[in-house]
Amino acid sequence: MTGLPDIGPAPPDDAARDRAERDDLLAAWETPSGFRRLSAVNNSLIGRWYLGTAFGFFLFAGVLALMIRTQLAVPDNSFLSMELYNQVFTLHGTAMMFLFAIPIFEAVAILILPEMLGARDLPFPRLSAFGFWCFVIGGTFVCGSIFFGAAPNGGWFMYAPLSSDTDQTGIGTDIWLLGLSFIEVASIAAAIELIVGVLKCRPPGMRINLMPLYCWYVLVVAGMILFAFPPLIAGDLLLEMERAFDWAFFDADRGGDPLLWQHLFWIFGHPEVYIIFLPSIALIATMLPALARTRIVGHSWIVLSAIGVAFLSFGLWVHHMFTTGLPNISLGFFSAASEAVAIPTGIQIFCLLATVLVGRATASVPLLFAGGALAIFVFGGLTGVMVAVVPFDFQAHDSHFVVAHLHYTLIGGMLFPIFAAVYYWHPFVTGRMLSPRLGRWAFWLIFAGFNITFLPMHWTGVLGMPRRVWTYAEEMGWGALNMTSTIGAYILATGVAIMVFDVVRPRRFKAPAGVDPWKAPTLEWLREGPGHPWGIRSVPVITTRYPLWQQPGLFEEVTRGKWFLADASGGHREMIVTDILDARPMFVQRVPGPGWVTILSAAFLGAVFILATWHLWTAAVLCGGGFLATVLWWLWTGTGGVPPTPERDCGRGLILPLYASGNGSVGWWAMFITMIGDTTAFAGLVFAYAFFWTVHPAFPPPGSEPPGLPTAALAALSLSVAWLLMTVAQGANRAGRGSLSRWALAIVPLAAAAGVASLVLAAGAVGLDPTRHAYDATVWVLILWIGVHVAVGVIMDLYCLARLMAGRMDASHDAELRNSVLYWNFLLVQALVTIAVIGLFPLVSGGIR
Amino acid sequence: MRSPGTRTWCGPRLLRLAPLPVLCGCEGRHSWLAGAGAEARAIESLFWPFLIGSAIVWTAVMAFAVFAYRSAASDKGERVGRAVILWGGAVVPTIVVAMLLLTGLLTLRALSARSPALTVQVDGEQWWWRVAYRVPGQAEVVTANEIRLPRGETAELLLTSDDVIHSLWAPALGGKMDMVPGRTNRLTLTPLTIGSWGGLCAEYCGAAHAQMRFEVVVTEPEAFRDWLADEAMPAAPEALSEGGGLDAFLDAGCGACHTIRGTEADGPVGPDLTHVGGRGRIGAGLVPLTAANLSRWISHTDDVKPGVRMPAYPDLAPEALDRLVAFLMALK
Amino acid sequence: MTYPRIIDDGSVWIVIMPPVIWAGHFLAAYWIAAVWCARGMGVLAPAAWAILALTLIALAAIGWIARIATVRYEGLLRHEASIADDRERSRERFLGHVALLLCALNAVAVIFTAAPSLVFGQC
């Protein structure tokens, strides 16, 4: 039935074996103590740190919110100065979005996803740790700036040309651009890891139709991150190039266009709203079966909605730009998508309601928060379809009506579900329950405070109060409503304070939770709790959607070590990797344990970004070298290599290989997914070119000559040769012709260098100057992009060469080489597209005109 | 279309009961619901149905949620549940949002269908508004922070900016439109109610964004044309000749930034002051134009409006300041 | 052990295609209109016709996928608990069901996208 080979009988109960296996597991998975604890990489610990840090930033941004509300409580207030207010509101939005709303998704997923999949960890534990440390460093950098009066002050949307004017928006904007780019890198790293986790690390037998809804959402949302963040990274690159080196992208006098930034920002910015919202709905969809004592009604409908929202949300971005003067018909398209996205959103909500209808829900704090989420989010959704109506938005846009709307969607759609999840999964993490009484107090204070704050704010907007104003005159008549909002904000803050108190008070005051306090159906409740860092005791075969309900005896079988990988002989951290569709076991992946290399590399990378903020280029380059060295060390010591034995007996007759390369391996998928994201960023740059072509009557403009075709063709040829050599090296290695493979790899850098040199020559020979015109700048940024990618490709090439020489790769163990070839496949496509855009397109577009 | 008039338009007829005008702030000079323009009324005609419709939908969903929570489980449950998803989650919302979409598109088409009788160029500056009227056969009229429009006539505002993005918004008259460097955007306004309506910058445009306001003064068409003819004249001769005010102005260096047509002051940086005494407010709509306010504005500019580009003149001798203020007030 | 291949064995492509068709149609419509209007063509009719033609093609493609999905799901509206079973067939039916629902959603979304081309005659 499961598509698995015959499964042997379960081993008999044997207390001595159980103890021995547990000792082995502990030896392999034990968290280091003392200061070495910081070097831990285990998902349960990293997840907790991640969660705590994200909540820390939430509280910080919440204090900023209170400062905003205090300043606006009365007209002509002088609590905050104009300069400080502008920094405070910018940082409030930035921190809530980038340092709380998105990381909290990653934190929760890192914490519960592996356990929900019956996996011991995520496939790349060190990558999670690396992402976490990037997040800590970047977030502290961005938030800390306000204590030096140097916080960004251009709004969290950073519209050019205000943000490209270094006189008006000082170092804060660079901190924003570089600090957040750094954090986005971490987010993308987490997204890659989560996608691979869902696709490849499910328990044997858990086919795609049996996968919990939470995993669907994680897959969808991580996929969205992969397509939404890169355009912003591309935008950040352009804006920082303009700020640091005066490249002309957004300066209208030099052929740039401020609207390009808005496009790139909102192609990120609107999907981002759903990146925040979907995981929270996912949390509710995961809790609800336990709370309502029934299966989810409309499982496939929820999957449909998640996928549908994920796509449609990429067609909404211009609804943040309804008043920028685009043609009516263009506005119409985006209005259409903005209305359409309400359909799958509504379906999700009704699936959850139908589940409550079918089930027997009893009152509990998580359910209370879920109900609050419903009340608030539905309201926010309704104002959402209003502002999606273009003429209505002409009034509502950038007024306090929109401030109210967005807080209804985000707090209802994200914060309340997260709070519900805190009450629900607190016993999962700590083994203790939070107080229901304090929970009810917290809920009602937060709920009442929220509505007192934001319901009147709709009216404040109707009365004409714009957003992002540090003060207003008494004669405007907005005083009473603002005072009400401010009072509400403090009530809300009181509720949050009660919740925080409940969470942080010592555990001895909290009631013990037992193993499965909610009688939940999902696998994470198979974990054995604090003190058992290995997660699941043994990895079972899953044949149902609600295993703890529908597979009787599972708990005992798993915790008594009667399933796969019950032991950890040899002290390795191991997990089973399965196939994407049917979760048939493919091989056993050994994952690395604690290490300082993750913190070190995060610190070096952080230093690169921080030093670049102050234009300390030499130091930045040195740290970049340090980053490269640590990453190579990390890869060399922690990944790949020929295993000592080819196979591993997982118990019950399941014998799996210990090595995989190519598209079965997790590394290949990680590379594939990374390159999808990377290519999206590249597409953002090509979009910039196409956008300029659309808005300019002539592009290339008069005075700029496009790069010469022969030189560009030479570049295409050289890079193709480099790619071909990589492919040849892979084939030769497979065929056992090691020396041919090594020679091919050794020549790659020459061909690659020739390719980049020809590209630079092509643009340089015709005198393109990036500070002169947007055309020149766009061509140069494309060449820069390809140049950097070729450099990375050459490093990979040399790494593979070194691995071959060192005997860490051979004919049948070639994962690194195959991953590098995959990288080069994408690189070749990007290079050829670049050459077509800068070399061929001007000929064609010139012809049409 | 409702007939233009001076009465205050407020809310749907049904709801126009006693407490509502206070609640909805119809009397507000910045309210969307003030109904002072045809465009604002068109949008308002969306607002009330949306509000009532949302209230109904929200109540229905909440009532259903409470019912679902209270109801006991049953065997038929799952079939009912699927019907709920299909009809409540998919079919009904699809119809509702389709209607919303069409209503929005048709309203948008109607909004852009008016052909303008008058063109006004408004240039957003940090943090004030340069307003220029170019009427064929007449000298160009340049003023600042006050847009005069004739009642009942559609005006097209050409919106530009040279520094950063601003957004012109007079909620009582209609929606907003951004001013994007390098582009010229168009906004049509058809004022219907005589009066002075508030406007402001809706797009965050840097430090003093909060205090970038303006006035829209709606007058009868004849009065508007008289005003325009007066504005086209150079500065009032009696102001120029009286009490050495012009000398004080020039001595303080004001002419480097400000223009007063008919004098040697031709600075292009700040607002044109040729007829500043005829405007209702100073500091980009910030405070009413009175001698005291003007005096404080000149001597303590940054206190009145933090971040303002105009330097303060705290060291100006009191009598020179008085002469200057009297001079500016006389520039009707 | 053999593993099913994602594309042909898994029918995953019929899940992905409907939204991809919507996305392609949406971007094409946006691009056509943007370029048309940026080149100062005031009258929209030719662009609108092009968009409507694309709409028909997109709807036909979605319909074709819906047909495949119906076969996989073995029905249109009927409900079968067996899509949650531990069988290869159940997995296929599940993906067929999701694909079918996505076809419906994206058909609506494509029609929505076409609406502005019918309403506006001018840029």
Side-chain angles (χ1 to χ4, degrees), chain A residues 153 168 257 395 397 475, chain B residues 126 169 176 183 204 281:
Chain A
N153 60 355
Q168 294 200 47
D257 192 331
Q395 286 285 25
H397 181 69
E475 52 172 329
Chain B
Q126 281 181 323
W169 188 30
K176 60 183 70 66
R183 290 170 181 252
Y204 178 67
R281 295 183 155 250

Side-chain angles (χ1 to χ4, degrees), chain A residues 300 354 803:
Chain A
S300 343
R803 295 286 277 191

